[in-house]
Amino acid sequence: MLLSLALVLLGLTVSDMVVLGSVRGQLVTRVDRQLERYGQSLAARLGTDGVPEPRFVHSNRHGSWLPSQFVVAFVAADGRVSEQFRLPVAAGDPRPVWPRMDAASLQAHLGKPFDVASDHGGSWRVLIVPVAASAVTTDGTSATDSSPSANVAAPLPVGVVVSASLDEVDSTTDHLSTAFLLIGGVVAALLGLAAWFAVRAGLRPLRLIEATATEIAAGRPLSHRMPEASPRTEAGRLSSALNVMLAQIESAFAARAESEEQMRRFVADASHELRTPLAGIRGFAELYLMGALVDEEDVKRTMARIESEAVRLGGLVEDLLTLVRMGEQRSVQPAPMDLRTLAVDALHDITALDPGRPVTLTGPGDLGTPPGPAPVLGDEARLRQVVANLVGNAVAHTPPGTPVRIGVGTLDGHGVLEVADRGPGLTPEQAARVFERFYRVDPARTRTTPTDGAGLGLSIVHALVTAHAGHVDLESTPGQGTLFRVRLPSAKQH
């Protein structure tokens, strides 16, 4: 606001100076024209009337030489100014102070108005009008005057000096300057008062934003938002930008909290899953060291259990390592391949795992179509692990004899591989968490068979498919079975 007022005052000052200069210039120009007109008239009369003497200035013959607002004098060739003629209004009236001139400076001033000082302060405007050469003879007398008059001097001057006081001009400009000063002061005061209220009103949204930011910094939840304001104002756009920033920060903190919670669950689940086989191995080893295994058959059976738990422990560690590598975004090694190869191998795997389970190989969607080609770019070893986990999940979580269908082909520009069963299916809540690490449908985590997993198989499937820029979808209805569909970009798109 202070800067704006300073700029306003600067503008008023400059404009006042320009106006005063223009007015004074016009007034002085008018005085110059009057001096020029009157001086030329006097210079023309010198040839007929000659130079009047001061004592005849009030006579009828010479009274017209001296209007009251002018002072008249004559200058000789050497620059000397004669006694001036004037009609004083009162005694002691101001009069000009003639400058000292020589012949050279006189020529420089001829016909050019200039200012001189006054003996009582102020200034006078002076114009030296040159006398025409035809009006002066070689002997210094008038060429038209054959009988010199008693009241006219014989030699004629080089020029007529006409001067007029600039008191009226100075008075006018002084009044204008005073008026401009008062007007400028009033305008500046009114503008300052209006700007004060306008700035305070304009900054009110910023004060609200400041108060809200202080509350958030003091511990108010990040869900709190800045007050809404018009987006056409800077404060409104700032409020909108801060609200967007707060939303992003809130989302980041929520994601961080969720990630920390997932990490805690992961560590707890991993500890639980690792503790079980380790406790088994340690217990069997203590039985052997205590001599509780007397028969050789007991020793063999215990060693088999230790080996089984060690294998299970090794598989769990491998699964964890696979998840860590996928979390570190370690790239796979893609190469051209066909998903039909994996589908046929999966068919043989299910037949080997459960010979009594019916398995069919179809096209995608189970529309009675035969399996079709599904060319993709993928890491065959990783994709075999995906198919093995899906097949193992179908065999482990469905009753014996439950039909399984494997579908393979191309659909919507993607290579598709499906594993579907007619088992008990999943509820919507279970389906939403089935790809989480260590998630198992049984909350008690009981193991009915040695092949029960730790809940990492499907999370590994999701991580490996995502690393191939693909998607894994789940369709499940309680009592009607479950379908896992893996979609990978077709090799024709690359």
Side-chain angles (χ1 to χ4, degrees), residues 202-274:
L203 293 180
R204 187 176 296 113
L206 292 181
R207 289 195 294 271
L208 295 177
I209 291 175
E210 177 188 5
T212 304
T214 302
E215 293 176 359
I216 294 176
R220 193 162 185 173
L222 289 175
S223 58
H224 191 59
R225 292 293 181 265
M226 298 295 172
E228 295 294 336
S230 174
R232 293 190 298 271
T233 63
E234 292 83 354
R237 290 191 290 270
L238 175 62
S239 178
S240 299
L242 290 177
N243 284 334
V244 172
M245 182 186 70
L246 287 174
Q248 292 180 349
I249 293 176
E250 183 182 12
S251 299
F253 272 94
R256 180 179 177 181
E258 183 180 0
S259 176
E260 291 177 352
E261 180 62 25
Q262 290 179 351
M263 180 59 66
R264 284 193 292 269
R265 286 202 309 267
F266 175 79
V267 172
D269 293 339
S271 300
H272 176 79
E273 295 295 337
L274 292 173

Side-chain angles (χ1 to χ4, degrees), residues 212-419:
T212 304
T214 302
E215 293 176 359
I216 294 176
R220 193 162 185 173
L222 289 175
S223 58
H224 191 59
R225 292 293 181 265
M226 298 295 172
E228 295 294 336
S230 174
R232 293 190 298 271
T233 63
E234 292 83 354
R237 290 191 290 270
L238 175 62
S239 178
S240 299
L242 290 177
N243 284 334
V244 172
M245 182 186 70
L246 287 174
Q248 292 180 349
I249 293 176
E250 183 182 12
S251 299
F253 272 94
R256 180 179 177 181
E258 183 180 0
S259 176
E260 291 177 352
E261 180 62 25
Q262 290 179 351
M263 180 59 66
R264 284 193 292 269
R265 286 202 309 267
F266 175 79
V267 172
D269 293 339
S271 300
H272 176 79
E273 295 295 337
L274 292 173
R275 182 178 57 186
T276 301
L278 288 176
I281 293 174
R282 181 178 179 181
F284 292 131
E286 289 179 351
L287 286 176
Y288 177 77
L289 293 176
M290 292 171 58
L293 305 177
V294 180
D295 299 334
E296 183 178 355
E297 188 66 25
D298 294 336
V299 173
K300 290 181 179 180
R301 186 169 54 253
T302 301
M303 292 298 104
R305 292 292 303 276
I306 291 176
E307 181 183 9
S308 174
E309 294 295 334
V311 170
R312 177 185 166 199
L313 181 61
L316 182 59
V317 172
E318 287 294 331
D319 290 343
L320 290 174
L321 182 60
T322 300
L323 289 174
V324 170
R325 287 174 178 175
M326 292 300 102
E328 293 176 352
Q329 301 296 325
R330 295 190 180 184
S331 60
V332 295
Q333 298 178 356
M337 60 172 298
D338 196 326
L339 294 179
R340 285 183 299 180
T341 303
L342 303 184
V344 173
D345 293 343
L347 177 65
H348 296 315
D349 292 341
I350 295 179
T351 303
L353 290 173
D354 190 356
R357 184 183 298 269
V359 183
T360 57
L361 185 62
T362 67
D366 191 18
L367 300 177
T369 59
V376 297
L377 288 178
D379 190 328
E380 184 174 352
R382 297 297 187 184
L383 293 180
R384 284 188 178 276
Q385 187 176 3
V386 169
V387 177
N389 286 353
L390 292 177
V391 169
N393 183 77
V395 172
H397 295 90
T398 57
T402 302
V404 174
R405 181 184 64 85
I406 300 176
V408 64
T410 302
L411 187 64
D412 297 332
H414 287 75
V416 177
L417 191 147
E418 298 174 343
V419 177

